[in-house]
Structure formats: structure tokens, C-alpha cells
Amino acid sequence: QVQLVESGGGLVQAGGSLRLSCAASGRTSGDYIVGWFRQTPGKEREFVAALKWNEARSTFYEDRVKGRFTISGDTAKATVYLQMNSLKPEDTAVYYCAVGASTSNGYVVSRQERYSYWGQGTQVTVSS
């Protein structure tokens, strides 16, 4: 079992920055993939970024956030971060982190089904 707690959300003006944190506890050793998703009311949860928690530390990004968002991890703190720069009003959403096994379960990293554990979410609001 893995427990995830997101933090760092808030209200920011367009063009500003926020750093989200996803702190993991429980069974945190081993190879995992950690993903960030976001959701707005009435819409499907969508993929934002992912990090493979192994030596390679491969990263994956949704096209609209490439060059603006950076996912990274701190092994000692069992925490994954999402640095969000040049924020836009369309980035407004509840952001969720999720953890799944590093080896594929048949789903690509951008699919929710790839992930087994989810946090409670943190609200990000970007004003224009």
C-alpha cells in the first residue's frame, strides 16, 4: 500500500509559478512510475506528466505543458514535485498525483489505468 498526499496548490496570476509536491508513505521502495493528472469540473481527468522512479528517471509530458512544467523526485524524501511555470488560466484544475508499477500493466503512462494509488488532489487556480 502507498499513501499519497499532494500539497502546494493555490491561486496564482497568469505567468506565475507554483510547485506541487506529492509525498509518499507506506511501501515506497522499488520501481514505480509517478504521474500527475488534472481535472476540471465536467471533464475527464487528463494526464500532465510522469516520472519513472528508477535509475533512468525517464520523464513524460503532455504536449501542452512541455517546456513549462518539470517533474522531478527526491528519493530521500519520497516526494515527487511538479514545478509549473508560465501558468495559464487553462491550467486551472485539481491536480492529482498517482503511483503505479514501473513495468507496464498494459496501459501507457498517460492512462489512469496505469496507476494503482491516488492522492486526494490539490486545487490550482490561475487568474487572468
Side-chain angles (χ1 to χ4, degrees):
Q1 288 282 346
V2 177
Q3 293 78 44
L4 303 171
V5 178
E6 301 99 332
S7 61
L11 173 63
V12 65
Q13 287 189 330
S17 299
L18 283 174
R19 188 178 78 159
L20 305 184
S21 299
C22 174
S25 60
R27 188 181 170 187
T28 58
S29 62
D31 281 348
Y32 290 100
I33 185 162
V34 182
W36 284 97
F37 288 74
R38 63 188 181 187
Q39 189 171 26
T40 54
K43 291 189 176 181
E44 295 258 333
R45 196 170 293 185
E46 64 177 17
F47 172 74
V48 176
L51 170 71
K52 282 198 172 181
W53 198 264
N54 54 21
E55 289 188 5
R57 293 291 174 106
S58 303
T59 56
F60 308 84
Y61 295 95
E62 196 268 337
D63 285 346
R64 286 173 295 166
V65 307
K66 279 182 183 175
R68 299 189 298 124
F69 291 11
T70 302
I71 188 170
S72 62
D74 185 327
T75 304
K77 295 182 179 179
T79 298
V80 171
Y81 304 99
L82 184 68
Q83 178 67 44
M84 306 187 295
N85 298 328
S86 302
L87 282 162
K88 304 175 181 180
E90 51 263 43
D91 294 318
T92 295
V94 177
Y95 283 71
Y96 299 89
C97 68
V99 166
S102 184
T103 52
S104 175
N105 60 356
Y107 294 97
V108 295
V109 300
S110 59
R111 291 287 300 270
Q112 297 182 60
E113 295 87 347
R114 179 68 180 267
Y115 303 87
S116 303
Y117 303 100
W118 292 82
Q120 82 290 348
T122 185
Q123 175 71 46
V124 171
T125 303
V126 184
S127 63
S128 57

